[in-house]
């Protein structure tokens, strides 16, 4: 077995500090590099090394970044091709850096975590597998996957799960499904996706009504939202709606905004600007397909909750998202039904003073530094509360 050159490799398609997860992984790397060597295998649109140097970040972290060509709005075939390309880039990067420990997430899913598992089996390294989405099931909801291909991808992912040193995911529903599908006996940790710190604005100072920030994709019930908002406004509804973000349904949102003065579409905005935008509104829209909640959890949920805006979850009552909203007391749940949603919008016209403030302990667990410290605790041998001592 070849002698290890690197203590930890972090494998993820995004490592940019302008997103909460990217910032979380960067802070994770900065914690880990204090006591060992760290390599990041990632993709970037520009020169990530130079960007980190100019920002005074990531000192001592080795960056292996290939060019990114697709976004969440790109076609499925292009995204699959890029995932396969990144898989090869990852394997080459691992062989060159020879890490003793690897952290890998589902960005991109299945094939990249699998190649990490193969590397670790061949070279005697350990890895932690972070499932921020359970694939291929989540993808199968969007674009039906051939049955044989689905079974093959599940088999690859089950191999990765069973041989991981430990697993991280987002909800009890996802944890239960992972155990059932893979039969893994490895430890499974629950960790919320992080948000940048948000200082809530008092409700009486908020000038906006409802806001949606994030990916207007295939799983966010955007067509239902558009028809319900249109019907609500045609019936004389008074609320105003603000949308920000890209995605395949962005043209539908833009069309609605062009037709109604009470709807505004801002296009894609940086995550920090999105946090400020949510802070200006009384309610934050959180629509999600019920089936996908078994395999994923909306990433914008943490930022919504921290903002103090009321979360309006549009989903079934028996979902992880509905339970999260109700258990944390951060908003209300509306069934994913056209008439119910129109009725809910009217009911919100008289609800402007709701208090959805979270406790300080809960708030801390949704912030980026907590996320980074937990990754360090789970993924780095000898780490205690984010303090790293390599074995």
């Amino acid at each position: 077995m070849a002698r290890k050159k690197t203590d930890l490799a972090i494998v993820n398609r995004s490592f940019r500090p302008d997103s909460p997860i990217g910032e979380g992984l960067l802070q994770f790397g900065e914690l880990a590099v204090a006591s060992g060597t760290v390599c990041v295998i990632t993709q970037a649109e520009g020169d990530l090394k130079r960007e980190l140097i100019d920002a005074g970040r990531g000192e001592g972290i080795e960056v292996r970044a290939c060019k990114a060509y697709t976004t969440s709005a790109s076609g499925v075939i292009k995204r699959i091709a890029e995932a396969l390309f990144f898989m090869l880039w990852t394997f080459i990067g691992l062989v060159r850096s020879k890490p003793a420990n690897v952290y890998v997430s589902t960005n991109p899913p299945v094939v990249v975590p699998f190649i990490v598992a193969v590397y670790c089996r061949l070279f005697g390294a350990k890895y932690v597998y972070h499932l921020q989405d359970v694939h291929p099931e989540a993808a199968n909801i969007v674009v039906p996957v051939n049955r044989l291909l689905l079974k093959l991808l599940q088999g690859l992912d089950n191999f990765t799960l069973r041989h991981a040193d430990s697993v991280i995911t987002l909800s009890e529903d996802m944890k239960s499904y992972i155990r059932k599908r893979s039969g893994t006996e490895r430890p499974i940790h629950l960790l919320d996706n992080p948000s940048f710190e948000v200082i809530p604005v008092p409700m009486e100072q908020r000038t906006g009504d409802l806001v949606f920030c994030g990916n207007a994709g295939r799983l966010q019930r955007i067509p239902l939202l558009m028809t319900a908002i249109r019907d609500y406004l045609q019936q004389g509804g008074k609320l105003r709606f603000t949308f920000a973000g890209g995605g395949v349904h962005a043209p539908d949102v833009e069309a609605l905004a062009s037709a109604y003065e009470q709807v505004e579409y801002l296009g894609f905005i940086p995550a920090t600007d999105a946090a400020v935008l949510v802070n200006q509104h009384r309610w934050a829209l959180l629509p999600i397909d019920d089936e996908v909640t078994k395999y994923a959890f909306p990433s914008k949920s943490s930022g919504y909750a921290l903002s103090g805006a009321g979360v309006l979850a549009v989903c079934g009552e028996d979902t992880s998202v509905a339970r999260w909203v109700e258990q944390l007391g951060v908003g209300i749940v509306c069934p994913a039904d056209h008439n119910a949603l129109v009725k809910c919008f009217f009911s919100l016209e008289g609800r402007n003073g709701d208090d959805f403030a979270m406790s300080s302990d809960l708030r801390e667990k949704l912030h980026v530094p907590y996320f980074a410290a937990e990754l360090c605790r789970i993924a780095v041998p000898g780490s205690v509360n984010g303090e790293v001592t390599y074995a």
Side-chain angles (χ1 to χ4, degrees):
M1 183 176 66
R3 186 177 64 85
K4 302 299 185 294
K5 292 171 55 180
T6 307
D7 290 302
L8 173 69
I10 300 172
V11 180
N12 193 72
R13 180 153 49 187
S14 174
F15 195 71
R16 293 180 59 85
D18 57 359
S19 74
I21 291 177
E23 173 64 23
L25 292 178
L26 178 55
Q27 289 189 23
F28 170 33
E30 289 171 335
L31 285 172
V33 81
S35 299
T37 51
V38 177
C39 170
V40 169
I41 300 174
T42 186
Q43 288 184 277
E45 294 180 1
D47 187 346
L48 181 60
K49 292 181 183 179
R50 174 51 53 187
E51 290 177 18
L52 293 177
I53 291 172
D54 291 346
R57 302 293 306 277
E59 184 177 354
I61 297 175
E62 180 186 4
V63 177
R64 296 182 179 273
C66 63
K67 185 172 177 57
Y69 294 96
T70 67
T71 67
S72 62
S74 300
V76 174
I77 300 300
K78 288 183 179 180
R79 298 193 73 184
I80 291 173
E82 185 168 67
L84 293 173
F85 169 72
F86 186 64
M87 176 188 73
L88 295 175
W89 175 265
T90 295
F91 189 75
I92 293 170
L94 291 172
V95 171
R96 288 179 173 175
S97 59
K98 295 185 178 64
N101 302 280
V102 183
Y103 162 91
V104 62
S105 78
T106 47
N107 184 15
V110 182
V111 291
V112 170
F114 175 73
I115 209 67
V116 167
V118 170
Y119 164 82
C120 290
R121 296 285 288 174
L122 289 175
F123 291 88
K126 296 180 179 180
Y127 66 96
V128 170
Y129 185 16
H130 192 169
L131 287 92
Q132 292 164 331
D133 306 284
V134 179
H135 287 276
E137 289 83 346
N140 189 50
I141 295 174
V142 178
V143 179
V145 179
N146 175 275
R147 186 182 297 272
L148 291 178
L149 179 58
L150 184 68
K151 290 295 184 183
L152 172 63
L153 293 174
Q154 288 176 330
L156 295 179
D157 205 47
N158 288 343
F159 176 90
T160 307
L161 285 162
R162 286 194 294 267
H163 291 93
D165 195 55
S166 62
V167 177
I168 307 171
T169 195
L170 299 174
S171 71
E172 285 289 349
D173 286 9
M174 294 170 71
K175 178 179 178 178
S176 297
Y177 184 79
I178 289 166
R179 286 254 190 244
K180 180 179 178 180
R181 192 248 271 167
S182 69
T184 183
E185 297 180 354
R186 303 298 188 177
I188 300 181
H189 308 270
L190 296 183
L191 180 63
D192 287 311
N193 277 337
S195 169
F196 291 125
E197 185 172 359
V198 180
I199 301 175
V201 172
M203 195 61 70
E204 60 272 14
Q205 295 181 19
R206 296 171 186 253
T207 57
D209 295 321
L210 290 97
V211 65
F212 174 94
C213 282
N215 180 42
R218 300 174 179 91
L219 303 175
Q220 282 74 34
R221 297 190 182 274
I222 299 301
L224 171 64
L225 272 183
M226 297 299 98
T227 57
I229 292 172
R230 181 179 288 106
D231 197 3
Y232 165 75
L233 295 176
Q234 288 176 350
Q235 293 181 38
K238 299 177 181 179
L239 297 175
R240 300 185 64 85
F241 299 81
T242 306
F243 289 83
V248 295
H249 287 296
D252 301 329
V253 179
E254 189 171 11
L256 188 70
S258 298
Y260 294 93
E261 288 186 1
Q262 287 168 252
V263 181
E264 183 179 18
Y265 176 57
L266 303 176
F268 175 81
I269 62 175
T272 49
D273 292 345
V276 173
L277 182 66
V278 175
N279 235 353
Q280 297 169 354
H281 290 75
R282 288 180 280 274
W283 295 92
L285 287 162
L286 187 64
I288 189 72
D289 182 279
D290 286 7
E291 179 69 14
V292 82
T293 61
K294 299 176 185 177
Y295 319 123
F297 201 88
S299 57
K300 54 183 165 286
S301 57
S302 295
Y304 279 3
L306 288 173
S307 75
V311 177
L312 173 55
V314 182
C315 59
E317 288 282 350
D318 189 26
T319 62
S320 57
V321 172
R323 289 191 291 273
W324 178 84
V325 169
E326 291 169 350
Q327 289 170 5
L328 268 62
V330 293
I332 61 176
V333 178
C334 177
D337 172 80
H338 177 90
N339 292 332
L341 191 51
V342 172
K343 184 178 180 180
C344 182
F345 289 151
F346 277 109
S347 73
L348 297 185
E349 290 183 4
R351 294 184 60 170
N352 293 333
D354 300 77
D355 183 7
F356 297 107
M358 301 176 68
S359 69
S360 57
D361 288 344
L362 285 175
R363 291 183 63 83
E364 180 185 357
K365 291 182 178 180
L366 298 180
H367 284 147
V368 170
Y370 180 88
F371 175 81
E374 283 296 284
L375 290 184
C376 230
R377 180 183 66 81
I378 296 167
V380 179
S383 175
V384 179
N385 295 326
E387 298 294 330
V388 182
T389 303
Y390 287 99

